[in-house]
Amino acid sequence: MPLCVHPRDLRRRTWDAHAEELAWARSGADALAGPRGWNRYIVVDVKQALGVVLAHRRPGEMVLHSEIAPILSGRGLSVRRTVELLEHLDLLADDRVPAVVRWVEEVTSGFESGLRDPVRAWAMTLLEGEERTRPRQEGTVRRYLARLLPVLTTWSATIGHLREVTRGDIDEAVAGYHGQQAETLLTALRSLFRHCRRTRTIFTDPTRGIRRTRSPWTLKVPLPQQATSTVIRTVQASGSPRAAVVVALAAIHAARLKAIRHIQMDDIDFASRRLVIDGHSRPLDELTERAVRAWLAYRREHWPHSPNRHLLISKHTAAEASPMSHFALEEILRGSGVSLEQLRINRTLEEALAHGGDPLHLMAVFGMSDTAAIQYATNARALLHEPTADMGHHDTHRIHG
């Protein structure tokens, strides 16, 4: 083993010593350009980046992501596409620490070890999963820990370890919140202390026996006609075929934003007039078909060689395999006063009202869970049995997404 390991200076280039390897890697860039939809400018950029990252690579040595990112960013070269090529050539070792892990370590650094270590271990267990538990999404871990931080800060002034927390401390912490915030906090506390009890970090679970608080049920009513007209005018004013497809999927098929982002090209079957959304096959209506055909014509005109199999792409994702971002799709209705989630809820509620609040019909049409179908059916039956004169009483409970 070497006595000393010095960081390599990637600013210096020694192409002559690696001419054969560099030529092989650059031929790999030419071969990958077609399937990834890279234009000639991207290929030139990647080939120049290869000359930098492979200059001091020893035979059989992997290229570390932490080494190439700073030097390529400083030169204005593409780190992302260079990484794609190095992964394709089996030359990349991704040694990056996930951003959520760095965030967990940063926000818990001010606590004593008796609080810091169990919380970090619990957060990593949520992220990585266990033998019988699937990993949680990063957003869930961030939401739980963000809700716990004020409580942990208060406890850190008087206690040094989680085993000192009592049932009274839990009740006092939850009492400071209401509705969804209290429910999220109690869920996070129960998850934390159950993990600590299972790993024998604490002796007793102070959250045991506490019932979860439920947010009060709010009656929803359909969107007014004026809001629907505003959405139509917004889409027409944009002149974007992609906007027409997104609005049709949300307003007609009640598709969630996540499901819209992940619809594949193979999910559209014009011959059978079927559309697959989130694994659920449903009929392809005429309006949605016209919008999809117009979008596909626009896509072929602007990105004819795109390898991305997602139905909806942009100039940023045309040369990749990833879906469009939530933010890019939410921008479609920006300024209209109505969100895509509101359109989805409104469409589901209209279907429930049209069929007398039948949950089985909602499950068959939209492929939703039984719990969600029962909630919409209950909401619809409440509206159907309510006198028309009292409908205005629920204006404050109009759908807010």
Side-chain angles (χ1 to χ4, degrees), residues 185-203:
L185 175 59
L186 184 55
T187 301
L189 286 170
R190 294 179 66 182
S191 176
L192 171 62
F193 283 99
R194 284 179 178 178
H195 172 268
C196 292
R197 181 70 178 84
R198 188 167 57 253
T199 57
R200 301 177 183 258
T201 306
I202 61 176
F203 302 111

Side-chain angles (χ1 to χ4, degrees), residues 313-329:
I313 61 175
S314 65
K315 64 179 180 180
H316 302 292
T317 62
E320 303 173 358
S322 58
M324 292 184 62
S325 65
H326 281 83
F327 179 79
L329 294 181

Side-chain angles (χ1 to χ4, degrees), residues 91-102:
L91 295 177
L92 180 71
D94 194 349
D95 60 338
R96 294 173 297 174
V97 178
V100 63
V101 175
R102 296 197 303 268

Side-chain angles (χ1 to χ4, degrees), residues 112-115 155-156 158-162 164:
E112 296 290 338
S113 59
L115 295 176
W155 289 347
S156 63
T158 56
I159 64 176
H161 201 284
L162 283 181
E164 302 176 32

Side-chain angles (χ1 to χ4, degrees), residues 338-350:
V338 181
S339 66
L340 293 173
E341 181 66 9
Q342 286 177 296
L343 291 179
R344 183 193 69 82
I345 296 176
N346 184 71
R347 173 67 183 95
T348 308
L349 185 57
E350 287 181 346

